[in-house]
Amino acid sequence: MTFPRIDLLVAPPDATDLVLLVHGGQESSREAAGAWRAAILRMWPFAVAARAGAPGAAVGMMRDRYRGWNGPDADPVADLRVVLDRLPARITRVQLVGHSMGGRAVVAVGNHPLVDGVLALAPWLPGGEPLVPMRGPVVFAHGTADRITSPAQTAAYARRLRASGVPVALLSVADDDHTMLRRSPDWNALVRDFAAGTTYKPSLDPDHVDQLPHSKHANNPLRGVLDIARARLTLRIVGQL
């Protein structure tokens, strides 16, 4: 049997903060979440970005037991709670960055006492998803060309959260899809700024939407693929939690 864990990619010995990257998956599967799956590889450039934004923090990659959400079992949520509950005492603050199914998972555990910020990238937030009073800055970002998860459902969840009194920053990422490759530099900048604590200010305005700034280096999916390759060559797993 496999167990959920955090693979540390950046580990300053005196770090008290952790930026935790939570990968995507699929609706149903109990196959192992292998390290070379596209959903996990896509998160590696965000480790580089998080290191740039918070150089004193540890940066870790969540490793779920399974590829799937798996209905009411919500395995990625159970896994994430397990690793948060068993973090060493020196870690006193966690920022969560999740993509797709991982975005749904970080929202679900956003009220954990260690969590101080949630960034959900192209999250999978189906209708009727339970509202969670998340802690710290809450930021949702979704590409307008996403056909895998729904930008409209993300906006609907943000409106529900705002109506409940939780401020949310909602970002529209023009012309990008679920892979987040076309505008990879812009997504990286968002993760960097989130880790640095300089991201968009959450709002209670039900319909407020910000646009993710479009850099001159965007609109090139190949650049996004090269970002993954560079990050995979630059970083390595230096420990586990």
Side-chain angles (χ1 to χ4, degrees), residues 2-239:
T2 58
F3 295 91
R5 68 177 190 269
I6 296 170
D7 287 339
L8 287 173
L9 307 181
V10 180
D14 56 349
T16 60
D17 291 356
L18 170 68
V19 181
L20 181 54
L21 309 173
V22 184
H23 60 82
Q26 59 197 81
E27 187 170 351
S28 298
S29 174
R30 286 200 162 83
E31 292 186 44
W36 292 96
R37 287 182 54 241
I40 295 177
L41 290 173
R42 182 61 190 90
M43 303 302 287
W44 277 77
F46 298 143
V48 177
R51 180 180 61 180
V59 180
M61 182 83 69
M62 181 68 196
R63 291 296 307 277
D64 293 334
R65 292 170 296 162
Y66 309 124
R67 297 184 184 185
W69 183 268
N70 300 324
D73 288 342
D75 287 316
V77 177
D79 290 353
L80 191 48
R81 289 197 184 279
V82 165
V83 299
L84 289 173
D85 286 343
R86 73 183 187 200
L87 285 174
R90 63 181 174 84
I91 300 296
T92 59
R93 176 174 177 262
V94 179
Q95 294 174 295
L96 296 174
V97 179
H99 172 229
S100 190
M101 182 183 77
R104 187 179 183 183
V106 300
V107 166
V109 303
N111 60 346
H112 190 280
L114 288 177
V115 171
D116 187 30
V118 172
L119 173 57
L121 308 173
W124 172 33
L125 293 171
E129 189 72 0
L131 286 178
V132 176
M134 286 176 275
R135 301 162 57 89
V138 179
V139 183
F140 294 163
H142 216 127
T144 60
D146 196 329
R147 300 294 179 265
I148 304 299
T149 58
S150 168
Q153 288 184 331
T154 295
Y157 191 87
R159 283 194 296 271
R160 291 171 58 209
L161 270 181
R162 287 165 169 172
S164 74
V166 177
V168 181
L170 178 61
L171 305 181
S172 179
V173 186
D175 303 321
D176 211 349
D177 59 19
H178 196 66
T179 66
M180 307 179 295
L181 292 174
R182 188 173 301 159
R183 293 185 55 184
S184 179
D186 302 337
W187 293 99
N188 292 342
L190 174 59
V191 173
R192 179 200 65 212
D193 292 347
F194 175 77
T198 60
T199 193
Y200 292 81
K201 185 178 180 180
S203 170
L204 286 173
D205 180 342
D207 299 313
H208 182 77
V209 181
D210 288 302
Q211 299 294 319
L212 187 67
H214 202 300
S215 73
K216 64 181 180 180
H217 300 296
N219 287 333
N220 186 348
L222 178 59
R223 184 186 178 97
V225 174
L226 291 175
D227 279 348
I228 294 171
R230 278 192 292 265
R232 201 63 182 84
L233 290 171
T234 302
L235 296 175
R236 62 187 179 87
I237 297 170
V238 295

